[in-house]
Amino acid sequence: MNNDRYIMLVEDNPDDEALTLRALMQSNVANDVVVAHDGEEALNFLFGERDGAEAARSPAVVLLDLKLPKVDGLEVLQRIRADERTRLIPLVMLTSSKEESDVIRSYTSGANGYVRKPVDFVQFAEAVKEVGLYWMLVNEPPPRSAELGG
């Protein structure tokens, strides 16, 4: 990874992954993107053994699909919020679910945002662009000492 702040995308649908990555590129969000294809892979990346400085780095934002294989998005969200090392990472649900209960459960579990994936690529690209620009350029992240629980 070539810069300090990166985006983590957790998405099991290859088409949605490609569209999200394309939308981020088109919006000139130059940060690296780490992709996990299911909830288990995301948790392993965040909490598993990683080498050196990589292990201390948290994503600037996590874009998390709700409906994932192995470990669903809500459980991933809850596990991220339950650990002091990751509890302050901004997390946006990026999902096609229109269920009101999913929106409510996402926010009550600690999501910072909930973005529905529009079917239309132009709308989808615009939504991803806005999310990426906000979290990577506008938002002030918590100090590293707060992120690490100290």
Side-chain angles (χ1 to χ4, degrees), residues 2-18:
N2 58 18
N3 60 34
D4 195 39
R5 293 169 48 89
Y6 67 96
I7 297 168
M8 181 172 202
L9 173 64
V10 187
E11 175 60 67
D12 64 315
N13 181 311
D15 293 333
D16 286 350
E17 175 189 339

Side-chain angles (χ1 to χ4, degrees), residues 36-76:
H37 298 101
D38 59 56
E40 182 178 77
E41 187 178 340
L43 292 170
N44 285 341
F45 180 84
L46 289 169
F47 299 114
E49 294 298 317
R50 293 184 276 157
D51 296 328
E54 246 341 87
R57 290 179 57 219
S58 294
V61 63
V62 175
L63 305 178
L64 179 62
D65 191 10
L66 190 60
K67 310 294 185 196
L68 293 168
K70 297 186 181 178
V71 179
D72 75 15
L74 277 175
E75 186 174 338
V76 171

Side-chain angles (χ1 to χ4, degrees), residues 3-143:
N3 60 34
D4 195 39
R5 293 169 48 89
Y6 67 96
I7 297 168
M8 181 172 202
L9 173 64
V10 187
E11 175 60 67
D12 64 315
N13 181 311
D15 293 333
D16 286 350
E17 175 189 339
L19 290 176
T20 303
L21 294 174
R22 182 172 159 206
L24 288 168
M25 272 195 313
Q26 287 180 349
S27 66
N28 295 318
V29 173
N31 301 77
D32 289 322
V33 180
V34 171
V35 179
H37 298 101
D38 59 56
E40 182 178 77
E41 187 178 340
L43 292 170
N44 285 341
F45 180 84
L46 289 169
F47 299 114
E49 294 298 317
R50 293 184 276 157
D51 296 328
E54 246 341 87
R57 290 179 57 219
S58 294
V61 63
V62 175
L63 305 178
L64 179 62
D65 191 10
L66 190 60
K67 310 294 185 196
L68 293 168
K70 297 186 181 178
V71 179
D72 75 15
L74 277 175
E75 186 174 338
V76 171
L77 170 59
Q78 291 163 354
R79 300 253 312 263
I80 287 171
R81 291 297 180 246
D83 191 296
E84 69 180 37
R85 297 169 295 172
T86 56
R87 68 178 173 197
L88 297 178
I89 296 171
L91 194 144
V92 177
M93 303 307 285
L94 188 61
T95 181
S96 55
S97 174
K98 295 179 181 174
E99 297 295 321
E100 186 175 297
S101 62
D102 287 337
V103 177
I104 292 168
R105 289 184 328 175
S106 294
Y107 279 116
T108 58
S109 295
N112 298 96
Y114 191 99
V115 176
R116 284 195 185 103
K117 297 177 195 173
V119 176
D120 175 74
F121 174 73
V122 174
Q123 289 178 328
F124 182 74
E126 188 61 29
V128 169
K129 173 185 170 185
E130 295 298 325
V131 167
L133 290 175
Y134 175 78
W135 289 106
M136 299 311 294
L137 301 175
V138 177
N139 183 60
E140 180 71 27

